[in-house]
Amino acid sequence: MIRARLFALPLLAALALPALGEDHHRGHDPRAEDWASEFDDLGQQDYRVLPLKRAAQIVAERFRGRLIAARLVPPRPEERARGVVLVHQLRLLTPARDVLAIRLDARSGAFLEVAGAGLTEARRRGNAR
């Protein structure tokens, strides 16, 4: 059974290669269509991103807790419709041991979403922003 699978894999790969090569010979790369629309207007916009340190400061100004995770992610469709290009996604451990999931616009630092238990308790008082 294992030998049959090992034999089938190279055979399938050999059959697939000519099909992929045909499009490349004609100057068409089907994979380019998957991401090309994302980069259509790269030359027209400013894509400077807030440093992670600044994103953490913005979150710390509004919420009490300790940063436990952070990453840069693409926007969700509804965020993209509002003009968001990149998102800082952060996780904050509150003093009550709850985890907040926070999404910031990576260019402006604007809050896009804050979710999690203990949100009200973690909020710093006197912040109207």
Side-chain angles (χ1 to χ4, degrees), residues 39-108:
F39 300 104
D40 283 343
D41 59 350
L42 275 177
Q44 300 172 6
Q45 295 186 17
D46 181 14
Y47 284 96
R48 283 180 271 183
V49 175
L50 287 173
L52 177 58
K53 184 175 183 176
R54 179 63 188 130
Q57 288 172 343
I58 291 169
V59 169
E61 290 169 4
R62 187 174 289 189
F63 297 100
R64 290 181 287 121
R66 182 170 56 102
L67 186 66
I68 58 173
R71 64 183 181 160
L72 199 58
V73 297
R76 295 177 181 152
E78 65 272 11
E79 294 167 341
R80 180 165 297 161
R82 293 184 354 207
V84 176
V85 178
L86 286 171
V87 175
H88 278 298
Q89 183 174 320
L90 303 104
R91 294 202 182 274
L92 192 74
L93 182 65
T94 69
R97 310 291 292 167
D98 294 317
V99 176
L100 299 181
I102 302 169
R103 294 174 66 86
L104 297 177
D105 183 331
R107 289 191 303 171
S108 68

